[in-house]
Amino acid sequence: MKELHHNQRINTQMKPNGSMMKTKNRIGLTMMAVAMLLSLPVMAADGPPDLTKGETTGVDRKGTYNLGATGMRGWIYLKPATHFDGLQGRTTAPSRQILVTHVGAKSPADGVIQVNDVILGAGGKLFTSDARRSIAVAIQEAEKESNNGVLRLSVWRPSDSAQGKTGKSRDVQLKLKVMGTYSATAPYNCPKSQQIFTNACKVLEKEPLSQDWSGAITGLALLATGNPEYLPKLKEFAHQMGPPTMKLESKLESGGLGAWESGYRNLFLGEYFLRTGDQEVLHAIREITVSTARGQGMYGTFGHGFADLTPDGKLHGSIPPYGPVNQAGLGANMAIVIGKKCGVTDPEIDPAIERASKFFGYFVDKGAIPYGEHEPWPYHENNGKNAMTAVFFALQGNRTQEAQFFAKMAVAGYKNRECGHTGQGFSYLWGALGANAGGPAAASAFFKEASTHLDLVRRCDGSFTYDGGEQYGPGSTDDNTYYGKSSYSGLSPTATYVLTYSLALKKLCITGKDANPAHALTKPEVAAAITSGRFDVDRLQMTPSQLVAAFGDWSPIVRGWAAEELAKRPAAKAMVPELIKMAEGPEVHVAQGACETLGYMKSAEALPLLVRLLSHDDRWLRFKAAQALKNINNGARPVLPDILMATAKTAEPLTPINWADPVQLTQGQLAAALFAGPLADAVKGSDPKLLYPAIRAVASNADGMARATLRGYFENNLTVEDVQALAPDIFAAVKTPSPADKMFSNEIRMGGFKALTKYHFKEGIEAGVDFAKTQGGHGSESRTGEIMKAIVSYGTAAREVLPQLKELIAQFNAEFNSGHFPGDCNKQRVTSVEEAIKAIEAATTQPELRSIKK
């Protein structure tokens, strides 16, 4: 599970010292957004090279795509990404050539195509659009009965030049297996789907079942086939995965099995039990279900592991410093639901399902499920998490609104399949299953749009390959192998697609067994989802009135795209009065779109309206108003007092959680506007009677990302008088991490600590020691050094904490010895404390101290 652990999310956004990147809008971007911009595949910089002329700029032979059942892999040009083009699956759109990098032995291409050949066209025509999609369509045509499996390719062979001849194009033919044509209802009632499924099963049954969560997925795929011949093998595997001696509750504090293992292991064991009634696994199902429910965080989320205990020692505290990982947590939450379906009862189960349902249900009508406890992801899909959420709600049977919304999002996300943090494996695993939560018609519509990709990753031996890099792009392969990377983090690609093609059988709960008919989307709803999925391109040809009409779309993503596009049009300037009127109108979706447009336009005329909307009954309209003010930023100076007052008024108690806005996202947008952008310069001169309540409100926000906006302001803008007035609040912010989004919680803590030590408040010494004691997560080795330097600045006054610093060394070493911290990082932590002790012992002076007690 190495790819998915610890540093994958944070490395791309955090500096080595753990501080956030110094960009003006750094807080407004989510972690995944920054990671995406910094982790893109290698691409040619100036358009596609002409391979027939020997141009090789940007060619990466280890980054290649499978070319369907031809037996070939090839390099295909990727356009440079601007913003998030990769999310919409059009990265190879400018390509018109394919460089053949691998030819499989005894495959259809063997003896016909050579490595280094360049494919220029298919079906008797040169490529005039996306070469990758074009060859996929040609393969589908060739596999029809009417074409007898004949695939015609136009190929340029450079070897002629090596022989002193001019390279030239030639037409060749490959003989593929005849597979037929996908039916309109595929994978339901579809002979081609059935044949692909049968061939893939023959491959899958020979694959080993690894004793971890990825093996559980292979087990699920074998179960989904409904083949009784696999049951003996599955029985043995189930007894290994869920032995009758399993005991997990006592392991809660050390994480139990963790979210990944608990989630997928219990999904397999639960589905196996519901299929077979094998009582020998029921004990393990109970142990995993209860342990997982006990390990759930206060917001219904999970990290890679389980939640911390609360400060008073109770269950369901915050997710540890790395923060929530919804990719893992959704599987864990499904595992709790499947355990309940198996008859497991415990006081922890129903509250856990309810917490998760409230948290993930919050994103209905707002956007895609984010990485963790953040604002929604602004696309129809986010590496399969919407699809997983659709299945999670569908499994419960009585969550129709939520199941339908996320099923529609999964259907509309067909263009987002090939994008995902650490790769797209989970998108491929869950995408069709999530669409299927909306009924067979929804699944078929999604399948139709995804069919070219399905046929590209299918190989001539019936197996499937995994293609995908970080965020998007090709698969990573070895120069000397055709098959390349055969798995994704141990996950079998063939198992993934067997689950997709098994939907028609409905053998598992996750593939539609016992589905509630009320969840099925109507034909118009399915059609609307498909249309919404391509709106990002369609909008470019729309008139302003058509864009305004799109404000009423079911999809929050479409509404946002329409607002973004309308704001670019010259005609929008004359529409400001109309947009203001719409933003205060009765149709909330239209109001949200209008509000968003005004923000993109940076409309000064709309400022009074946006301030009024901050107290609107609809909380998401409040969010859009706050987001608009953040976008307007420095232009919002005329209403700065109003924004400060609104920030203070939007503060809510951390407990009990207000599930209408669990992590106070509206206030988070206001915080970013005030303290993390150009407007912060104007904030400095504000009336303290307005400024201090706003700071106090943000400093106690549930979300670590919102609190993090104050770091720079605390370090650079607070006067000694400000610190004296706010010291109790700053001190509390340093001592107590945020309950949500804890991976960002160190930002305000460091900022507050630096503000206390900058003016040598005595309490900063103790706060620094307490702060250092919590430095066990990513970047803590450098943060510990920063903390120690600040404590050393107190000179002889810091001697009172020398015993605590020595205890801190013992704590760090104990963490290392227990395996909870890597050696090199721990050495840095310990060394920084040892050096601080020496410096304090050698000190002869101290600065004049202040105290918050005054």
Side-chain angles (χ1 to χ4, degrees):
M1 195 56 202
K2 183 177 179 181
E3 293 92 339
L4 296 169
H5 269 76
H6 203 60
N7 295 333
Q8 287 294 318
R9 172 168 58 151
I10 196 170
N11 279 347
T12 52
Q13 189 170 358
M14 305 293 279
K15 286 186 175 182
N17 67 357
S19 65
M20 299 186 70
M21 295 175 61
K22 302 296 185 180
T23 57
K24 291 183 178 180
N25 64 343
R26 64 191 184 276
I27 303 299
L29 293 175
T30 63
M31 292 175 293
M32 286 291 295
V34 178
M36 183 167 224
L37 291 173
L38 301 180
S39 305
L40 300 175
V42 176
M43 296 169 286
D46 300 312
D50 188 340
L51 301 171
T52 66
K53 294 181 180 179
E55 297 174 3
T56 59
T57 301
V59 175
D60 177 14
R61 290 175 175 270
K62 291 188 177 181
T64 62
Y65 290 100
N66 189 67
L67 302 178
T70 65
M72 298 183 290
R73 292 190 68 88
W75 177 86
I76 305 176
Y77 171 79
L78 287 176
K79 68 176 179 180
T82 57
H83 195 45
F84 302 111
D85 291 344
L87 281 168
Q88 282 296 104
R90 284 181 277 271
T91 53
T92 57
S95 64
R96 301 294 184 268
Q97 301 174 351
I98 301 174
L99 174 64
V100 177
T101 56
H102 310 281
V103 177
K106 298 182 181 180
S107 70
D110 191 16
V112 182
I113 303 292
Q114 296 180 7
V115 171
N116 294 326
D117 281 354
V118 179
I119 303 173
L120 303 176
K125 299 179 181 179
L126 296 180
F127 296 137
T128 57
S129 60
D130 188 335
R132 183 173 178 234
R133 177 172 173 80
S134 296
I135 198 170
V137 172
I139 290 169
Q140 289 184 332
E141 286 295 314
E143 289 181 336
K144 293 179 178 179
E145 292 91 342
S146 58
N147 292 317
N148 200 31
V150 175
L151 174 64
R152 297 168 58 198
L153 297 175
S154 297
V155 177
W156 183 87
R157 181 161 293 170
S159 58
D160 292 337
S161 298
Q163 297 170 4
K165 301 177 182 179
T166 302
K168 62 180 180 180
S169 299
R170 66 188 70 195
D171 290 331
V172 300
Q173 292 185 357
L174 306 186
K175 185 64 169 68
L176 310 181
K177 291 180 181 178
V178 174
M179 303 300 293
T181 306
Y182 286 121
S183 71
T185 57
Y188 290 88
N189 302 315
C190 177
K192 177 177 178 177
S193 298
Q194 179 59 47
Q195 185 174 347
I196 292 171
F197 174 72
T198 300
N199 294 340
C201 288
K202 291 177 181 178
V203 175
L204 184 64
E205 66 188 20
K206 298 175 184 177
E207 291 187 0
L209 287 162
S210 60
Q211 297 294 310
D212 59 16
W213 69 273
S214 61
I217 294 171
T218 302
L220 282 167
L222 290 171
L223 271 175
T225 68
N227 189 339
E229 295 180 4
Y230 299 153
L231 290 180
K233 177 180 180 179
L234 290 170
K235 179 178 180 180
E236 180 182 1
F237 179 61
H239 290 179
Q240 293 169 342
M241 294 287 282
T245 56
M246 182 176 280
K247 185 67 176 175
L248 295 176
E249 289 182 74
S250 62
K251 296 183 180 181
L252 176 63
E253 291 186 10
S254 61
L257 285 174
W260 294 100
E261 284 293 334
S262 295
Y264 285 100
R265 189 181 294 239
N266 216 41
L267 280 175
F268 166 70
L269 290 173
E271 295 279 16
Y272 168 78
F273 173 78
L274 293 171
R275 168 78 186 280
T276 65
D278 186 347
Q279 296 291 317
E280 291 190 39
V281 298
L282 192 54
H283 171 77
I285 293 171
R286 185 187 189 283
E287 289 294 317
I288 298 174
T289 302
V290 175
S291 174
T292 308
R294 287 166 57 86
Q296 187 192 62
M298 63 192 297
Y299 292 99
T301 56
F302 290 86
H304 289 305
F306 289 166
D308 286 333
L309 299 175
T310 63
D312 56 354
K314 296 180 181 178
L315 297 174
H316 314 304
S318 297
I319 303 301
Y322 180 76
V325 183
N326 290 333
Q327 191 69 259
L330 281 162
N333 279 310
M334 278 192 273
I336 299 171
V337 176
I338 208 75
K340 181 178 179 179
K341 281 182 173 291
C342 293
V344 177
T345 58
D346 187 89
E348 290 290 341
I349 293 175
D350 284 343
I353 295 173
E354 184 66 12
R355 276 191 296 270
S357 296
K358 286 179 176 178
F359 178 80
F360 292 107
Y362 169 76
F363 295 96
V364 169
D365 206 32
K366 298 180 179 68
I369 300 298
Y371 193 109
E373 292 159 353
H374 325 305
E375 65 188 74
W377 188 242
Y379 289 86
H380 285 114
E381 185 54 287
N382 188 1
N383 203 9
K385 288 193 283 292
N386 277 353
M388 295 179 76
T389 306
V391 176
F392 168 67
F393 283 116
L395 286 174
Q396 296 182 54
N398 61 348
R399 297 275 187 172
T400 301
Q401 179 188 9
E402 296 93 335
Q404 287 187 328
F405 174 78
F406 287 108
K408 286 180 76 172
M409 290 287 280
V411 172
Y414 58 86
K415 287 292 186 184
N416 301 144
R417 274 175 64 77
E418 296 184 79
C419 181
H421 183 47
T422 75
Q424 302 99 60
F426 296 108
S427 176
Y428 304 154
L429 173 62
W430 289 103
L433 279 62
N436 192 60
S444 295
F446 174 86
F447 190 94
K448 179 180 179 181
E449 298 294 336
S451 66
T452 50
H453 177 258
L454 295 174
D455 284 338
L456 275 175
V457 295
R458 173 170 51 86
R459 299 190 286 208
C460 55
D461 65 351
S463 67
F464 286 81
T465 187
Y466 167 73
D467 281 345
E470 169 63 21
Q471 304 307 343
Y472 66 91
S476 177
T477 62
D478 185 274
D479 282 333
N480 299 319
T481 63
Y482 153 59
Y483 289 106
K485 186 175 181 180
S486 61
S487 65
Y488 167 79
S489 299
L491 191 161
S492 163
T494 302
T496 290
Y497 293 106
V498 163
L499 282 166
T500 294
Y501 282 90
S502 75
L503 291 174
L505 300 176
K506 295 184 178 293
K507 295 297 183 181
L508 304 181
C509 295
I510 61 172
T511 58
K513 176 186 176 184
D514 301 326
N516 184 347
H519 294 168
L521 301 175
T522 65
K523 287 184 179 181
E525 287 173 328
V526 171
I530 294 297
T531 300
S532 297
R534 60 173 181 265
F535 187 86
D536 65 317
V537 169
D538 291 349
R539 62 177 169 165
L540 302 177
Q541 307 303 321
M542 290 182 174
T543 65
S545 61
Q546 289 174 316
L547 292 169
V548 169
F551 290 168
D553 197 90
W554 72 272
S555 166
I557 311 305
V558 166
R559 300 195 293 269
W561 281 338
E564 184 181 43
E565 181 63 26
L566 180 60
K568 298 176 183 177
R569 303 292 181 87
K573 292 182 180 179
M575 297 175 64
V576 168
E578 180 185 355
L579 289 168
I580 290 175
K581 184 177 180 180
M582 285 189 287
E584 289 194 293
E587 297 294 330
V588 69
H589 285 168
V590 173
Q592 291 168 5
C595 184
E596 200 164 355
T597 305
L598 292 165
Y600 283 131
M601 294 175 66
K602 301 185 182 299
S603 170
E605 190 177 344
L607 289 174
L609 157 80
L610 297 175
V611 169
R612 291 196 298 273
L613 292 179
L614 292 175
S615 58
H616 195 278
D617 290 341
D618 183 83
R619 284 178 175 267
W620 200 238
L621 184 52
R622 294 186 205 176
F623 174 88
K624 290 298 182 182
Q627 189 179 59
L629 288 167
K630 183 187 74 174
N631 289 338
I632 295 172
N633 213 301
N634 208 32
R637 285 180 181 235
V639 293
L640 179 57
D642 299 287
I643 298 175
L644 288 168
M645 286 190 288
T647 302
K649 288 181 180 179
T650 54
E652 298 187 45
L654 299 183
T655 56
I657 296 170
N658 183 347
W659 292 104
D661 190 3
V663 289
Q664 301 180 37
L665 291 180
T666 296
Q667 191 186 76
Q669 295 293 308
L670 294 175
L674 289 171
F675 304 113
L679 196 58
D681 291 335
V683 171
K684 285 189 295 185
S686 298
D687 183 347
K689 292 180 181 179
L690 299 177
L691 175 60
Y692 292 171
I695 289 177
R696 292 187 179 106
V698 174
S700 60
N701 187 287
D703 184 12
M705 189 180 289
R707 292 189 188 190
T709 60
L710 286 171
R711 174 171 178 172
Y713 196 86
F714 276 2
E715 288 188 30
N716 304 316
N717 294 346
L718 293 184
T719 65
V720 66
E721 291 78 16
D722 291 335
V723 176
Q724 182 73 61
L726 293 166
D729 307 282
I730 296 172
F731 192 61
V734 175
K735 289 180 68 70
T736 307
S738 60
D741 236 343
K742 280 187 69 174
M743 76 168 297
F744 287 107
S745 65
N746 282 309
E747 297 305 310
I748 187 175
R749 301 179 75 194
M750 184 64 79
F753 171 64
K754 291 286 187 70
L756 292 171
T757 58
K758 178 180 180 179
Y759 299 110
H760 292 110
F761 281 85
K762 179 181 179 181
E763 290 78 7
I765 304 174
E766 180 185 350
V769 175
D770 289 341
F771 188 14
K773 287 179 180 178
T774 65
Q775 293 310 296
H778 176 81
S780 60
E781 65 277 11
S782 12
R783 277 193 301 272
T784 302
E786 282 192 77
I787 296 168
M788 291 303 113
K789 288 179 182 177
I791 291 177
V792 167
S793 72
Y794 281 85
T796 56
R799 287 179 179 169
E800 65 183 53
V801 295
L802 285 174
Q804 294 166 267
L805 294 179
K806 293 174 182 178
E807 291 174 1
L808 185 61
I809 293 174
Q811 173 192 321
F812 287 167
N813 285 329
E815 290 172 351
F816 166 70
N817 292 331
S818 64
H820 290 165
F821 208 84
D824 290 344
C825 296
N826 186 60
K827 184 178 180 180
Q828 292 182 51
R829 292 194 303 174
V830 170
T831 298
S832 64
V833 180
E834 289 175 339
E835 291 176 349
I837 291 173
K838 291 178 183 178
I840 293 169
E841 289 176 337
T844 57
T845 61
Q846 70 177 52
E848 181 181 353
L849 302 182
R850 295 181 171 88
S851 174
I852 64 174
K853 293 178 181 178
K854 293 182 180 180

